[in-house]
Amino acid sequence: MNFNFINLQPYANPQYFIYLMIALIPMIIGLYHGKRFKTYEAIFSLVFLFLIFDGSHWQQGINLLVYLVYEFAITFFYQNYRQKENKTWVFYLAVILAIIPLSIVKVLTAFPVKSIPFVIGFLGISYITFKNVQVIMEMRDGAIKKVDPLTYARFLLFFPTISSGPIDRYRRFKKDFDKAPSRDEYITDLQFAVRYLFQGFLYKFIIGWFFGTYWLPKISQAALLAGNANGGLKLSWWVVAYMYCYSMYLFFDFAGYSLFAVSISYFMGIHTPMNFNKPFISKNIKDFWNRWHMTLSFWFRDYIYMRFTFFAMKKKLFKNRIRLSQVSYFLLFLIMGFWHGLTWYYIVYGIFHATAICINDVWLRFKKKHKGQIPHNKFTEWFAIFLTFNVVCFSFLIFSGFLSQLWFGWQ
């Protein structure tokens, strides 16, 4: 069989799924009979990881191996040291060391150094880093008593989610991995796996293709031509069209990818959490972040927002709790913006969402104070959904970077 290695990137094309489903058959048979073939699962993951990082991506594969050794050293050093002596500065050092490689990759991606003769980073570095930091923090909290090296390696290298999530939690993953489901439980898993697989095909390869490949380039070209020829009036409508089209593409493409990852996980008897829950019916911006890219937003909430808030309260950095929550939101979304990339539109995207949430909190406090005076009915609920949808779509227009392209197109 002649593999086209370049096309064997995760969930990139329908051909990829043929190889994937064939490789899953032994696992499916084993789990159906109540047996988890851990050795085969490990070989399966390693083979598909090899196919991802083969050919022109081999340097990324080397980086992944080096990175795993580095992160293992940090995690198990902290685990062993903490059992002997619990010092706060060691915890902070472990977290900082864990995120340094990702930070370097983000900086060098934004400001490439031509003199560096090798590839920096690898596919999935962000999501592996998030998992590793999560484990270090939960060891510090005492939620994780001890990390098993083999389970930890499987957790970090879990093939279906390694490149772009969803971001699982170690304790939840270990609970599934340590046992095989019963036959009835696995039949239910298979039903969900097949459903999510076909839903992912619908989202990514049909609806996502229609918005992203068919419509978006035409609207983008029309917007640039209209801007050069007619000024801002006609351009504004093309920008609006681009905003909605890009938002739909972003959702269906990413949600489709996430459904594939969840589907393959269920085939393997692992209940990877869902990433999206009907985000475009959100009634406010907070509701949106409880529905959009949920595993990432919950990770940022639990390990950045909540921890900074508790730290600030403990140190009494802010007397006013409302002001503290506002500062925490801006810190949270600025970090999220920087994580996406060191460009102005990602940073503005983060500031925009932090501002929107702060305004939303002001409105919610106002409603609570004037309870019974502000109408609440189906019309107001639909209006809230409509308003939130448009606020979110405008934020995606910022996120897309298309405004920069328009600006340079006008010059």
Side-chain angles (χ1 to χ4, degrees):
M1 184 177 292
N2 182 24
F3 288 95
N4 185 344
F5 294 119
I6 295 177
N7 289 331
L8 285 180
Q9 298 303 296
Y11 319 119
N13 59 74
Q15 182 186 17
Y16 170 86
F17 290 89
I18 298 175
Y19 307 135
L20 185 59
M21 296 309 297
I22 292 173
L24 282 171
I25 290 174
M27 271 183 277
I28 294 172
I29 294 172
L31 289 168
Y32 182 79
H33 290 283
K35 298 179 181 179
R36 182 178 290 282
F37 300 144
K38 292 186 177 182
T39 302
Y40 178 81
E41 288 184 20
I43 295 172
F44 163 82
S45 292
L46 290 174
V47 167
F48 273 84
L49 286 172
F50 172 79
L51 295 177
I52 290 175
F53 297 113
D54 193 63
S56 61
H57 302 92
W58 68 269
Q59 289 188 15
Q60 291 190 39
I62 299 299
N63 293 344
L64 170 61
L65 293 176
V66 173
Y67 179 77
L68 284 174
V69 173
Y70 174 80
E71 293 291 354
F72 259 66
I74 294 170
T75 301
F76 288 98
F77 166 78
Y78 179 70
Q79 175 175 272
N80 294 331
Y81 186 90
R82 185 180 179 278
Q83 291 174 348
K84 299 175 182 178
E85 189 174 0
N86 186 11
K87 290 195 179 253
T88 302
W89 71 267
V90 179
F91 163 72
Y92 287 122
L93 177 63
V95 172
I96 291 170
L97 289 175
I99 65 176
I100 280 178
L102 177 60
S103 302
I104 293 173
V105 168
K106 291 296 180 182
V107 171
L108 291 180
T109 301
F111 309 102
V113 178
K114 294 182 179 180
S115 60
I116 297 179
F118 50 85
V119 175
I120 300 294
F122 56 89
L123 182 70
I125 185 173
S126 292
Y127 293 91
I128 294 179
T129 301
F130 291 150
K131 288 180 177 181
N132 197 57
V133 171
Q134 167 235 315
V135 168
I136 293 172
M137 288 187 171
E138 292 197 356
M139 280 197 294
R140 196 257 180 125
D141 296 342
I144 297 176
K145 303 299 181 183
K146 190 175 182 180
V147 175
D148 173 67
L150 291 178
T151 305
Y152 190 53
R154 289 282 288 110
F155 171 65
L156 292 181
L157 294 175
F158 187 54
F159 170 73
T161 65
I162 190 172
S163 60
S164 297
I167 308 169
D168 207 348
R169 303 294 174 97
Y170 176 78
R171 287 177 292 161
R172 201 221 59 74
F173 177 87
K174 186 176 185 299
K175 183 179 177 182
D176 283 352
F177 183 68
D178 284 346
K179 66 178 182 66
S182 67
R183 178 169 296 185
D184 289 341
E185 289 173 336
Y186 188 60
I187 289 174
T188 301
D189 286 350
L190 287 178
Q191 291 172 345
F192 280 110
V194 172
R195 172 187 167 186
Y196 294 149
L197 184 65
F198 280 96
Q199 189 177 353
F201 271 99
L202 173 65
Y203 278 20
K204 184 173 179 64
F205 293 121
I206 298 177
I207 303 178
W209 175 88
F210 183 74
F211 281 109
T213 304
Y214 180 75
W215 261 8
L216 200 61
K218 297 180 180 180
I219 293 175
S220 173
Q221 187 64 24
L224 292 171
L225 291 174
N228 290 328
N230 302 297
L233 184 59
K234 289 188 177 181
L235 172 64
S236 64
W237 293 109
W238 284 114
V239 171
V240 171
Y242 184 95
M243 178 182 77
Y244 289 126
C245 188
Y246 179 80
S247 298
M248 294 301 102
Y249 161 69
L250 185 65
F251 168 70
F252 284 108
D253 184 76
F254 194 17
Y257 172 93
S258 297
L259 283 165
F260 289 144
V262 173
S263 170
I264 302 307
S265 300
Y266 271 65
F267 277 118
M268 298 172 68
I270 303 292
H271 298 148
T272 293
M274 294 292 287
N275 235 358
F276 295 90
N277 180 24
K278 302 176 182 178
F280 291 139
I281 64 169
S282 305
K283 295 180 180 178
N284 57 57
I285 200 68
K286 269 189 177 179
D287 187 27
F288 170 78
W289 279 107
N290 286 328
R291 295 169 176 271
W292 176 273
H293 204 345
M294 295 184 291
T295 60
L296 178 69
S297 63
F298 294 164
W299 191 96
F300 274 92
R301 178 198 66 190
D302 294 344
Y303 300 112
I304 295 179
Y305 177 85
M306 296 301 297
R307 289 173 186 270
F308 174 78
T309 300
F310 289 146
F311 173 82
M313 290 174 63
K314 183 179 179 180
K315 299 296 183 180
K316 298 181 180 179
L317 299 180
F318 298 90
K319 295 181 179 179
N320 189 309
R321 290 199 173 191
I322 295 175
R323 200 69 62 236
L324 170 59
S325 68
Q326 292 171 341
V327 171
S328 299
Y329 283 133
F330 273 93
L331 174 66
L332 168 69
F333 282 101
L334 275 174
I335 293 175
M336 187 180 290
F338 281 116
W339 168 69
H340 279 104
L342 301 180
T343 55
W344 74 265
Y345 44 85
Y346 290 139
I347 298 168
V348 171
Y349 170 80
I351 294 173
F352 180 89
H353 272 281
T355 304
I357 285 187
C358 290
I359 293 173
N360 182 71
D361 278 357
V362 171
W363 169 247
L364 292 177
R365 288 194 297 270
F366 180 82
K367 282 180 65 178
K368 185 177 180 180
K369 185 177 180 180
H370 298 83
K371 190 175 182 180
Q373 301 177 27
I374 299 175
H376 180 84
N377 49 49
K378 287 186 177 181
F379 173 78
T380 59
E381 288 187 359
W382 280 107
F383 179 76
I385 293 173
F386 172 79
L387 182 61
T388 303
F389 173 73
N390 282 278
V391 168
V392 167
C393 288
F394 182 73
S395 76
F396 289 155
L397 175 63
I398 298 172
F399 180 85
S400 70
F402 187 61
L403 295 178
S404 287
Q405 189 177 351
L406 287 173
W407 172 259
F408 288 113
W410 292 340
Q411 304 306 309

mmCIF file of all heavy atoms in Angstrom, residues 228-246:
data_model
loop_
_atom_site.group_PDB
_atom_site.id
_atom_site.type_symbol
_atom_site.label_atom_id
_atom_site.label_comp_id
_atom_site.label_asym_id
_atom_site.label_seq_id
_atom_site.Cartn_x
_atom_site.Cartn_y
_atom_site.Cartn_z
ATOM 1 N N ASN A 228 -11.324 48.993 -3.153
ATOM 2 C CA ASN A 228 -10.459 49.758 -4.044
ATOM 3 C C ASN A 228 -11.251 50.605 -5.034
ATOM 4 O O ASN A 228 -10.838 51.700 -5.409
ATOM 5 C CB ASN A 228 -9.544 48.811 -4.813
ATOM 6 C CG ASN A 228 -8.497 48.172 -3.914
ATOM 7 O OD1 ASN A 228 -8.058 48.794 -2.946
ATOM 8 N ND2 ASN A 228 -8.117 46.940 -4.213
ATOM 9 N N ALA A 229 -12.416 50.089 -5.446
ATOM 10 C CA ALA A 229 -13.153 50.757 -6.519
ATOM 11 C C ALA A 229 -14.205 51.741 -6.020
ATOM 12 O O ALA A 229 -14.451 52.759 -6.665
ATOM 13 C CB ALA A 229 -13.836 49.708 -7.407
ATOM 14 N N ASN A 230 -14.827 51.438 -4.868
ATOM 15 C CA ASN A 230 -16.002 52.212 -4.479
ATOM 16 C C ASN A 230 -15.926 52.839 -3.093
ATOM 17 O O ASN A 230 -16.904 53.391 -2.615
ATOM 18 C CB ASN A 230 -17.245 51.296 -4.509
ATOM 19 C CG ASN A 230 -17.448 50.687 -5.882
ATOM 20 O OD1 ASN A 230 -17.669 51.399 -6.852
ATOM 21 N ND2 ASN A 230 -17.349 49.360 -5.971
ATOM 22 N N GLY A 231 -14.809 52.733 -2.432
ATOM 23 C CA GLY A 231 -14.737 53.309 -1.103
ATOM 24 C C GLY A 231 -15.433 52.437 -0.077
ATOM 25 O O GLY A 231 -15.616 51.247 -0.271
ATOM 26 N N GLY A 232 -15.874 53.053 1.019
ATOM 27 C CA GLY A 232 -16.344 52.284 2.151
ATOM 28 C C GLY A 232 -17.771 51.813 2.107
ATOM 29 O O GLY A 232 -18.116 50.866 2.776
ATOM 30 N N LEU A 233 -18.668 52.470 1.340
ATOM 31 C CA LEU A 233 -20.094 52.157 1.445
ATOM 32 C C LEU A 233 -20.403 50.736 1.016
ATOM 33 O O LEU A 233 -20.950 49.952 1.774
ATOM 34 C CB LEU A 233 -20.906 53.147 0.602
ATOM 35 C CG LEU A 233 -22.421 52.996 0.687
ATOM 36 C CD1 LEU A 233 -22.882 53.168 2.114
ATOM 37 C CD2 LEU A 233 -23.123 53.985 -0.227
ATOM 38 N N LYS A 234 -20.041 50.384 -0.225
ATOM 39 C CA LYS A 234 -20.308 49.023 -0.686
ATOM 40 C C LYS A 234 -19.415 48.012 0.021
ATOM 41 O O LYS A 234 -19.805 46.887 0.250
ATOM 42 C CB LYS A 234 -20.107 48.940 -2.196
ATOM 43 C CG LYS A 234 -21.176 49.659 -2.985
ATOM 44 C CD LYS A 234 -21.045 49.379 -4.464
ATOM 45 C CE LYS A 234 -22.165 50.056 -5.239
ATOM 46 N NZ LYS A 234 -22.079 49.795 -6.689
ATOM 47 N N LEU A 235 -18.214 48.462 0.406
ATOM 48 C CA LEU A 235 -17.291 47.580 1.092
ATOM 49 C C LEU A 235 -17.895 47.097 2.407
ATOM 50 O O LEU A 235 -17.734 45.948 2.797
ATOM 51 C CB LEU A 235 -15.973 48.304 1.340
ATOM 52 C CG LEU A 235 -14.951 47.578 2.219
ATOM 53 C CD1 LEU A 235 -14.501 46.313 1.531
ATOM 54 C CD2 LEU A 235 -13.782 48.477 2.541
ATOM 55 N N SER A 236 -18.588 47.960 3.103
ATOM 56 C CA SER A 236 -19.101 47.599 4.421
ATOM 57 C C SER A 236 -20.015 46.382 4.348
ATOM 58 O O SER A 236 -19.993 45.529 5.234
ATOM 59 C CB SER A 236 -19.848 48.787 5.042
ATOM 60 O OG SER A 236 -20.987 49.109 4.266
ATOM 61 N N TRP A 237 -20.823 46.295 3.310
ATOM 62 C CA TRP A 237 -21.706 45.142 3.183
ATOM 63 C C TRP A 237 -20.937 43.872 2.875
ATOM 64 O O TRP A 237 -21.293 42.786 3.338
ATOM 65 C CB TRP A 237 -22.758 45.409 2.103
ATOM 66 C CG TRP A 237 -23.711 46.499 2.515
ATOM 67 C CD1 TRP A 237 -23.791 47.760 2.006
ATOM 68 C CD2 TRP A 237 -24.689 46.410 3.552
ATOM 69 N NE1 TRP A 237 -24.764 48.479 2.649
ATOM 70 C CE2 TRP A 237 -25.339 47.673 3.608
ATOM 71 C CE3 TRP A 237 -25.085 45.413 4.441
ATOM 72 C CZ2 TRP A 237 -26.359 47.947 4.511
ATOM 73 C CZ3 TRP A 237 -26.093 45.679 5.349
ATOM 74 C CH2 TRP A 237 -26.716 46.931 5.372
ATOM 75 N N TRP A 238 -19.869 43.971 2.099
ATOM 76 C CA TRP A 238 -19.039 42.801 1.844
ATOM 77 C C TRP A 238 -18.314 42.366 3.110
ATOM 78 O O TRP A 238 -18.111 41.173 3.344
ATOM 79 C CB TRP A 238 -18.038 43.085 0.724
ATOM 80 C CG TRP A 238 -18.655 43.065 -0.644
ATOM 81 C CD1 TRP A 238 -18.790 44.121 -1.501
ATOM 82 C CD2 TRP A 238 -19.237 41.937 -1.311
ATOM 83 N NE1 TRP A 238 -19.409 43.729 -2.658
ATOM 84 C CE2 TRP A 238 -19.703 42.385 -2.561
ATOM 85 C CE3 TRP A 238 -19.406 40.604 -0.962
ATOM 86 C CZ2 TRP A 238 -20.318 41.534 -3.467
ATOM 87 C CZ3 TRP A 238 -20.026 39.747 -1.863
ATOM 88 C CH2 TRP A 238 -20.475 40.230 -3.094
ATOM 89 N N VAL A 239 -17.920 43.327 3.943
ATOM 90 C CA VAL A 239 -17.273 42.984 5.210
ATOM 91 C C VAL A 239 -18.252 42.253 6.119
ATOM 92 O O VAL A 239 -17.897 41.278 6.789
ATOM 93 C CB VAL A 239 -16.726 44.249 5.902
ATOM 94 C CG1 VAL A 239 -16.244 43.920 7.310
ATOM 95 C CG2 VAL A 239 -15.598 44.852 5.096
ATOM 96 N N VAL A 240 -19.497 42.727 6.144
ATOM 97 C CA VAL A 240 -20.522 42.036 6.930
ATOM 98 C C VAL A 240 -20.717 40.607 6.428
ATOM 99 O O VAL A 240 -20.810 39.649 7.217
ATOM 100 C CB VAL A 240 -21.854 42.811 6.890
ATOM 101 C CG1 VAL A 240 -22.982 41.996 7.511
ATOM 102 C CG2 VAL A 240 -21.719 44.147 7.611
ATOM 103 N N ALA A 241 -20.771 40.458 5.093
ATOM 104 C CA ALA A 241 -20.916 39.125 4.515
ATOM 105 C C ALA A 241 -19.729 38.247 4.893
ATOM 106 O O ALA A 241 -19.894 37.064 5.242
ATOM 107 C CB ALA A 241 -21.044 39.218 2.998
ATOM 108 N N TYR A 242 -18.526 38.822 4.833
ATOM 109 C CA TYR A 242 -17.329 38.067 5.214
ATOM 110 C C TYR A 242 -17.394 37.664 6.684
ATOM 111 O O TYR A 242 -17.039 36.526 7.052
ATOM 112 C CB TYR A 242 -16.072 38.914 4.959
ATOM 113 C CG TYR A 242 -14.785 38.182 5.244
ATOM 114 C CD1 TYR A 242 -14.096 37.530 4.236
ATOM 115 C CD2 TYR A 242 -14.265 38.131 6.544
ATOM 116 C CE1 TYR A 242 -12.914 36.850 4.490
ATOM 117 C CE2 TYR A 242 -13.095 37.445 6.813
ATOM 118 C CZ TYR A 242 -12.421 36.809 5.788
ATOM 119 O OH TYR A 242 -11.265 36.125 6.052
ATOM 120 N N MET A 243 -17.844 38.585 7.525
ATOM 121 C CA MET A 243 -17.930 38.324 8.967
ATOM 122 C C MET A 243 -18.787 37.094 9.263
ATOM 123 O O MET A 243 -18.371 36.191 9.993
ATOM 124 C CB MET A 243 -18.503 39.551 9.676
ATOM 125 C CG MET A 243 -18.689 39.385 11.176
ATOM 126 S SD MET A 243 -19.414 40.850 11.950
ATOM 127 C CE MET A 243 -21.149 40.645 11.475
ATOM 128 N N TYR A 244 -19.985 37.053 8.659
ATOM 129 C CA TYR A 244 -20.881 35.917 8.915
ATOM 130 C C TYR A 244 -20.346 34.629 8.282
ATOM 131 O O TYR A 244 -20.413 33.560 8.890
ATOM 132 C CB TYR A 244 -22.276 36.222 8.384
ATOM 133 C CG TYR A 244 -23.012 37.269 9.184
ATOM 134 C CD1 TYR A 244 -23.552 38.401 8.568
ATOM 135 C CD2 TYR A 244 -23.184 37.133 10.558
ATOM 136 C CE1 TYR A 244 -24.227 39.365 9.298
ATOM 137 C CE2 TYR A 244 -23.863 38.087 11.292
ATOM 138 C CZ TYR A 244 -24.374 39.200 10.661
ATOM 139 O OH TYR A 244 -25.043 40.152 11.398
ATOM 140 N N CYS A 245 -19.823 34.738 7.079
ATOM 141 C CA CYS A 245 -19.321 33.550 6.382
ATOM 142 C C CYS A 245 -18.124 32.955 7.122
ATOM 143 O O CYS A 245 -18.055 31.738 7.330
ATOM 144 C CB CYS A 245 -18.930 33.909 4.950
ATOM 145 S SG CYS A 245 -18.514 32.481 3.922
ATOM 146 N N TYR A 246 -17.205 33.799 7.543
ATOM 147 C CA TYR A 246 -16.036 33.314 8.272
ATOM 148 C C TYR A 246 -16.437 32.690 9.607
ATOM 149 O O TYR A 246 -15.883 31.657 10.020
ATOM 150 C CB TYR A 246 -15.039 34.450 8.519
ATOM 151 C CG TYR A 246 -13.824 34.007 9.303
ATOM 152 C CD1 TYR A 246 -12.784 33.335 8.679
ATOM 153 C CD2 TYR A 246 -13.749 34.241 10.675
ATOM 154 C CE1 TYR A 246 -11.682 32.903 9.401
ATOM 155 C CE2 TYR A 246 -12.650 33.813 11.411
ATOM 156 C CZ TYR A 246 -11.618 33.146 10.771
ATOM 157 O OH TYR A 246 -10.539 32.714 11.499
#
